[in-house]
Amino acid sequence: MHRARILLVAWCALGGAIAERNAAAVERPTLKDAFRDDFLIGTALGTRQIMGQEPAALDLSAREFSAITPENCLKWALVHPEPDEFDFEPADKYVAWGEENGMFIVGHTLIWHNQTPAWAFAGVDGKPFDRETALVRIKSHIGAVVGRYKGRIDGWDVVNEAIDDEGKLRTGPVGAWPRRGEPWHAAIGDDYIEQAFRFAHAADPDAELYYNDFNEWYPAKIKAISKLVTGLKTKGVRIDGLGLQGHWGMDYPELAEIDHMLTEYGKLGVKLMITELDVSVLPPPDRSTDADITRRARGDAAGNPYPNELPADKQQELAERYAAIFKIFLKHRDEIDRVTFWGVHDGQSWRNGWPVGSRVDYPLLFDRQYQPKPAFDAVIEVAEPQ
Ligand code: GLA
């Protein structure tokens, strides 16, 4: 065949394949539609995506999701790196994109021990970091950030990861895992959470306010977090919801533990949100189930078994795990307000680099080419059984 003709035939075939794929994309149900009567379906946008450097991820997000959370750009270290310096550019774009696309817009996160710059925890004039300094600092940070997006960001994760696995408030200097301290508590005392919620409410009286954490199915945490929510409500401090991070694995938490946690928290009379869902298919390096970003573990080739692609039987196992999890979510649909995936597609996921660096994980519903995986079909099937 003449070379030009070969090229033409190849071009038409490629065009046909793309058209077919696009047609399939148009016909297939979307996550947000499938769960429209149940809860919002959210995703987390990375700063590259927000800044327009990965348009395909934004297109997919606009199509599939009804809520957004920023992966990083509203964390203290990124938005407020120096005492008198804010970087609102990515957050401004994030909020504007959310508005243009009719999203429920989440702010994440105001008060946390991680991704907070050292200056925020430093004492003044050589004195130790004390209550007064810390209160002034959180008040002005929250006032500036929440105030800027008043009436535009719908809900805020006010405090992140304040309670340890034994149900105690974290305290002390930050340190690396397992010394997970909480300088805000160390300086202010037990009421720092209440203070943060009060400041956030004052900065935007219409915004919803949430407490967010991991390992929330641990019995000691169920008790402590329930007490925290009830305590705030009793004092008349606004708290609208509980964010349940979902950085889970193939065998943890057990389905019964998810069910039990939702039942228990469901009694509190606040909205429940699965805020950071991703299910790692890789072998966990140890028995930890947390999402502590400072935890690091070593890995070898056995810990990275699918460097090129996820085999079909593993895809199927992931699909079944996701279906089982979503069945429980649907059972609790009256209490669950939103289910947010931590990332748009596998290629973006932090789980490729944590807790073991440089692995290839497959924890989300869309693959690295933005295509739905068997887990996507399985989740849709839970909402719309054929
Ligand atoms: C925690 C935080 C998130 C994010 C994840 C890991 O769950 O709440 O903001 O940092 O860890 O990416």
Side-chain angles (χ1 to χ4, degrees):
M1 222 190 293
H2 191 270
R3 197 159 162 263
R5 200 173 143 73
I6 295 176
L7 279 177
L8 183 69
V9 170
W11 176 250
C12 291
L14 180 67
I18 290 173
E20 213 170 275
R21 205 169 87 176
N22 289 345
V26 170
E27 276 161 29
R28 74 166 192 253
T30 66
L31 290 168
K32 66 178 176 193
D33 286 344
F35 290 96
R36 175 180 285 140
D37 298 332
D38 308 308
F39 31 70
L40 296 169
I41 296 277
T43 190
L45 297 177
T47 303
R48 279 189 69 248
Q49 296 168 338
I50 292 165
M51 297 305 282
Q53 286 157 7
E54 198 194 340
L58 288 186
D59 291 348
L60 184 62
S61 300
R63 184 189 140 79
E64 296 288 341
F65 300 104
S66 44
I68 49 171
T69 302
E71 247 189 297
N72 284 303
C73 74
L74 274 169
K75 290 174 180 168
W76 192 315
L78 287 304
V79 76
H80 192 179
E82 300 290 341
D84 299 317
E85 189 188 317
F86 289 87
D87 178 8
F88 285 121
E89 199 193 341
D92 286 355
K93 285 206 159 59
Y94 163 78
V95 173
W97 186 85
E99 288 175 336
E100 279 157 28
N101 290 278
M103 297 282 168
F104 183 91
I105 304 174
V106 180
H108 171 86
T109 180
L110 295 170
I111 298 297
W112 190 25
H113 44 274
N114 285 323
Q115 293 185 268
T116 301
W119 68 261
F121 299 139
V124 183
D125 297 333
K127 289 192 231 119
F129 183 45
D130 59 10
R131 175 176 167 94
E132 202 194 322
T133 309
L135 282 175
V136 167
R137 235 167 243 166
I138 61 171
K139 184 175 183 198
S140 71
H141 173 76
I142 291 176
V145 178
V146 175
R148 183 175 180 94
Y149 302 107
K150 186 173 176 206
R152 300 179 69 201
I153 287 192
D154 299 293
W156 281 94
D157 289 336
V158 179
V159 175
N160 202 28
E161 302 174 0
I163 294 170
D164 69 18
D165 291 349
E166 286 77 48
K168 296 196 198 68
L169 284 175
R170 296 178 200 287
T171 195
V174 177
W177 187 86
R179 287 181 294 113
R180 314 154 176 168
E182 179 53 80
W184 297 120
H185 177 268
I188 298 172
D190 283 2
D191 65 333
Y192 87 98
I193 299 178
E194 172 188 333
Q195 299 287 354
F197 275 81
R198 287 189 190 279
F199 293 142
H201 183 54
D204 186 351
D206 293 330
E208 293 192 346
L209 305 179
Y210 320 125
Y211 173 75
N212 191 52
D213 210 334
F214 56 68
N215 279 353
E216 282 165 297
W217 69 91
Y218 281 36
K221 284 190 96 151
I222 294 182
K223 234 170 134 183
I225 292 171
S226 301
K227 200 169 144 205
L228 171 71
V229 173
T230 316
L232 290 174
K233 287 177 66 150
T234 310
K235 286 185 178 163
V237 179
R238 177 167 185 167
I239 176 165
D240 297 273
L242 207 47
L244 311 160
Q245 295 182 17
H247 300 296
W248 295 340
M250 293 297 285
D251 52 12
Y252 71 87
E254 289 176 17
L255 297 174
E257 289 173 319
I258 300 175
D259 192 22
H260 177 67
M261 138 178 111
L262 291 169
T263 303
E264 290 306 305
Y265 292 133
K267 295 174 185 164
L268 297 173
V270 291
K271 296 177 178 179
L272 304 185
M273 283 144 296
I274 311 298
T275 48
E276 305 182 18
L277 184 60
D278 51 26
V279 178
S280 175
V281 299
L282 300 182
D286 52 44
R287 295 171 60 83
S288 306
T289 59
D290 61 39
D292 190 316
I293 61 167
T294 65
R295 175 157 64 89
R296 288 276 170 267
R298 275 185 200 288
D300 52 17
N304 187 27
Y306 321 115
N308 302 315
E309 63 172 344
L310 190 63
D313 58 330
K314 295 292 163 196
Q315 290 276 17
Q316 193 47 37
E317 277 174 38
L318 180 66
E320 283 164 21
R321 172 89 170 134
Y322 259 117
I325 289 172
F326 267 80
K327 276 186 194 148
I328 298 175
F329 292 169
L330 267 194
K331 178 178 162 194
H332 296 276
R333 63 196 280 273
D334 289 345
E335 289 79 39
I336 295 180
D337 193 56
R338 166 166 57 90
V339 175
T340 288
F341 291 87
W342 201 244
V344 181
H345 62 91
D346 287 343
Q348 168 200 355
S349 173
W350 76 302
R351 303 208 65 163
N352 294 302
W354 177 93
V356 178
S358 305
R359 298 197 294 180
V360 184
D361 208 341
Y362 303 83
L364 297 167
L365 301 190
F366 295 95
D367 68 19
R368 288 166 168 75
Q369 283 73 45
Y370 309 100
Q371 297 305 305
K373 296 157 55 176
F376 170 92
D377 298 329
V379 164
I380 294 281
E381 170 77 20
V382 172
E384 300 175 344
Q386 293 304 309

